[in-house]
Amino acid sequence: MKALVLSGGAGTRLRPITHTSAKQLVPVANKAVLFYGLESIAEAGITEVGVIVGDTAAEIQDAVGDGSKFGLQITYIPQERPLGLAHAVQIARDYLGDDDFVMYLGDNFIVGGISALVEEFRRHRPDAQILLTHVPDPRAFGVAELDGSGQVVGLEEKPKHPKSDLALVGVYLFTPAIHEAVRAIEPSWRGELEITHAIQHLIDAGADIRCTVIHGYWKDTGNVDDMLEVNRTVLEGLDRRIDGEVDELSETVGRVVVEEGARIVNSRIVGPAVIGAGSVVDNSYIGPFTSIAENCHITDSELEFSIVLRDSSIAGVGRIESSLIGRHAEVTPAHHVPSAHRFVLGDHSKVQIHT
């Protein structure tokens, strides 16, 4: 069995971070989201992995390498444009051959991995197996319709009027039957070859399509709020570890990781939080659910529920919350300017100003 990992998307919802970095490499608890997926694949006993890459191919290849550090053998498959998940299967046809495979979206995060799902697929070997989860607003996802016995009877891609609240999680398992299906479908109104249409083609042909509804934690880390939420979830599983330097004027409370080479000076760190190697936190407060990557400098500031990427500095800015700060960023106070209010008020207006 092989794996096909999709890492070619543009990441428009994470801009401006993704103007200069692949969305799959944005770190969660100081480790790239993509790495969690590759580790899950390796834990499931799969070693041959094809990685679909696009405009950020060089960055992905530099970070992942040949896959040996994950126990994997990586083959990179270029995709000129992201034309849909089924298109990714099409261009990977030669690599996949006649092997079964798991398709994993590189910006997805699943707590607990996929080992049990892969084992179930190997045991029963349906033509396709999909992962589903209940979501509050299914209109943003591929949506599955099940019959009374739990059998998949229909799939829709981002429907305006969903027939259920069961969204497709970004993990799919296929036999070679999927290849004929992706050849048979036409591009959707979005101009993409949708994997939901290919699976629907199999359903209409009477193929054996099974589903697993997960009730654990899953996130598509496509926007800042989801990134921060995944970061929070991962940090909650931290074990306390202080490998760096914490001076006598500083305090670390709870599940705090201070990596080797990091320094904490006259500061308070309340976990769960991680301070990356080579970073310096000076006269500052770092609150829960905060990840500070390597070689950052935090001075005279407060951070909580945030992610700071490598080589960034924050100095004298008071309190920062719920933020994602990119690489080599500098956050400093603005010059003081007189405050003023400007109004265009209609007749009989009433205005209250906090001063």
Side-chain angles (χ1 to χ4, degrees):
M1 190 172 190
K2 292 178 179 174
L4 186 65
V5 176
L6 275 61
S7 297
T12 55
R13 291 178 294 160
L14 274 174
R15 288 175 179 167
I17 297 291
T18 49
H19 278 308
T20 54
S21 179
K23 65 175 180 177
Q24 298 84 5
L25 297 181
V26 176
V28 168
N30 286 2
K31 181 165 66 176
V33 170
L34 175 61
F35 291 3
Y36 290 97
L38 294 175
E39 290 170 354
S40 294
I41 289 167
E43 289 167 3
I46 300 170
T47 58
E48 296 180 76
V49 180
V51 178
I52 301 289
V53 290
D55 292 342
T56 58
E59 188 181 10
I60 297 288
Q61 291 180 40
D62 183 61
V64 176
D66 63 2
S68 57
K69 63 184 175 184
F70 304 100
L72 303 172
Q73 302 168 25
I74 300 289
T75 299
Y76 293 99
I77 303 167
Q79 184 183 36
E80 291 185 4
R81 288 188 298 148
L83 295 175
L85 304 188
H87 179 258
V89 174
Q90 268 192 359
I91 65 173
R93 180 67 178 93
D94 290 342
Y95 171 77
L96 295 168
D98 292 325
D99 293 315
D100 296 346
F101 67 98
V102 55
M103 183 167 72
Y104 196 113
L105 273 59
D107 58 353
N108 274 224
F109 186 91
I110 301 173
V111 170
I114 61 170
S115 295
L117 180 70
V118 170
E119 179 57 33
E120 181 184 356
F121 178 80
R122 283 172 164 155
R123 187 165 57 249
H124 300 289
R125 201 169 179 263
D127 294 298
Q129 186 162 342
I130 57 177
L131 209 56
L132 304 174
T133 192
H134 295 279
V135 295
D137 185 4
R139 292 174 298 177
F141 302 93
V143 176
E145 180 185 4
L146 310 184
D147 64 16
S149 64
Q151 185 72 28
V152 182
V153 295
L155 297 174
E156 293 181 284
E157 187 63 35
K158 296 180 173 60
K160 292 182 179 179
H161 304 287
K163 295 179 181 178
S164 80
D165 66 346
L166 287 169
L168 278 79
V169 174
V171 178
Y172 309 78
L173 297 106
F174 296 115
T175 66
I178 192 65
H179 296 303
E180 186 278 328
V182 299
R183 287 195 303 268
I185 62 173
E186 298 292 334
S188 68
W189 62 270
R190 300 193 301 167
E192 297 186 3
L193 291 174
E194 312 285 1
I195 199 66
T196 47
H197 293 178
I199 299 172
Q200 184 66 53
H201 180 85
L202 291 175
I203 294 171
D204 295 341
D208 183 11
I209 310 299
R210 302 192 183 189
C211 67
T212 300
V213 180
I214 62 170
H215 300 282
Y217 188 84
W218 163 79
K219 277 288 184 184
D220 166 9
T221 59
N223 60 51
V224 172
D225 288 343
D226 286 340
M227 287 293 305
L228 294 173
E229 179 65 19
V230 171
N231 190 62
R232 180 192 66 79
T233 300
V234 175
L235 289 177
E236 285 181 336
L238 277 184
D239 292 324
R240 179 179 172 87
R241 178 167 52 85
I242 308 295
D243 294 333
E245 177 186 339
V246 180
D247 76 0
E248 64 217 12
L249 298 176
S250 298
E251 179 184 21
T252 59
V253 180
R255 289 166 292 172
V256 172
V257 171
V258 180
E259 299 284 1
E260 186 174 355
R263 291 193 299 120
I264 312 300
V265 181
N266 191 31
S267 297
R268 189 167 192 259
I269 317 295
V270 178
V274 56
I275 313 298
S279 288
V280 178
V281 179
D282 186 5
N283 196 38
S284 295
Y285 166 78
I286 306 300
F289 312 122
T290 301
S291 296
I292 297 174
E294 64 271 21
N295 300 320
C296 293
H297 285 74
I298 313 298
T299 307
D300 299 323
S301 300
E302 299 182 4
L303 275 81
E304 191 165 301
F305 193 54
S306 295
I307 299 172
V308 182
L309 276 59
R310 62 179 174 85
D311 301 303
S312 292
S313 65
I314 299 172
V317 295
R319 188 173 181 85
I320 294 174
E321 293 183 349
S322 305
S323 299
L324 175 58
I325 297 173
R327 300 174 297 178
H328 299 278
E330 295 182 13
V331 183
T332 58
H335 295 296
H336 178 74
V337 295
S339 60
H341 304 284
R342 178 176 183 265
F343 303 103
V344 177
L345 300 177
D347 297 344
H348 307 291
S349 296
K350 181 179 181 180
V351 178
Q352 293 180 320
I353 300 173
H354 178 73
T355 59

